Amino acid sequence: MKNILEFKNFNVTLKENNQKILNDINIVVKEEEFLGLVGESGSGKTTLLNAIISFLDKEKFVLNGEMNFLNNEENFKEITMIFQDSINSLNPYEKIKKQLFETYLLHSKNEITKEFAMEEIKKLLLDVGLADVERILNSYPNELSGGMRQRVAIVLALCTRAKILLADEPTTSLDVVNQFKFVELLKKITKEKKLTLIYVSHDIKLLSKICERIIVLKNGKIVEENTTEEILKNPQDEYTKLLVRAAMGE
């Protein structure tokens, strides 16, 4: 697969105190790759996602180094994110139908009818295992369970026609059983849609269920990078060893 995203000596610094949030980050992401970013709170993993999607406030942060979208100048427009809690993705005052329809319409490159858009949206809802489509569409977010909202959040992301999907600890609000159900579902959908996935978590065990490669961040630096299998079986850095032991209950 071709490379789709690249960081070269990338740094993010807080303006107010010159604190480095990300320090000399070098990463290459391939098309259709499932990449995991793992680290404790404050490691810089969410900052890295926010840099990719241009969510960092230039009044508060200084960005240095290179972040390049490769092979396609439009790639930077084809990024979407699933947040920690689906409530952050969904407008609590609008029904699901309106939110999905407006998002689908906004990102459609060709003129389409409302009927066509709604049929495609219904297919996506079925794809993520939401069988009671009409009820879902006519519900407000607070009328759905956390697991259902997270599935709707996947559909919302798919409605953008993005090529790169960012997931910022999207299972935080779910119990353990639903966490792994969500991860399996996300893995299935992203493979079918041939998306590139960058998944952030503090749980290396969870990442191992979905990601082919894992990057370990600590204090804004990459301390280890390898295939998921190698990270779990033969971690090199002491911090990575600690994460693996904690995840495996050792």
Side-chain angles (χ1 to χ4, degrees), residues 12 19-23 25 37-49 168-169 200-203 215-223 239 243:
V12 175
Q19 180 188 351
K20 279 271 183 78
I21 308 299
L22 292 173
N23 196 340
I25 299 298
L37 301 176
V38 68
E40 61 197 359
S41 296
S43 62
K45 55 191 190 297
T46 296
T47 301
L48 188 59
L49 285 198
D168 185 12
E169 304 207 51
V200 157
S201 180
H202 64 278
D203 186 345
I215 290 173
V216 183
L217 286 166
K218 182 175 175 59
N219 298 327
K221 295 182 179 180
I222 295 175
V223 297
Y239 178 63
L243 290 178

Side-chain angles (χ1 to χ4, degrees), residues 13-55:
T13 307
L14 270 175
K15 276 188 176 181
E16 64 178 6
N17 58 8
N18 288 322
Q19 180 188 351
K20 279 271 183 78
I21 308 299
L22 292 173
N23 196 340
D24 284 332
I25 299 298
N26 291 279
I27 299 172
V28 175
V29 184
K30 295 185 178 297
E31 287 182 340
E32 299 182 36
E33 180 180 17
F34 290 2
L35 173 66
L37 301 176
V38 68
E40 61 197 359
S41 296
S43 62
K45 55 191 190 297
T46 296
T47 301
L48 188 59
L49 285 198
N50 286 334
I52 295 172
I53 207 165
S54 299
F55 274 5

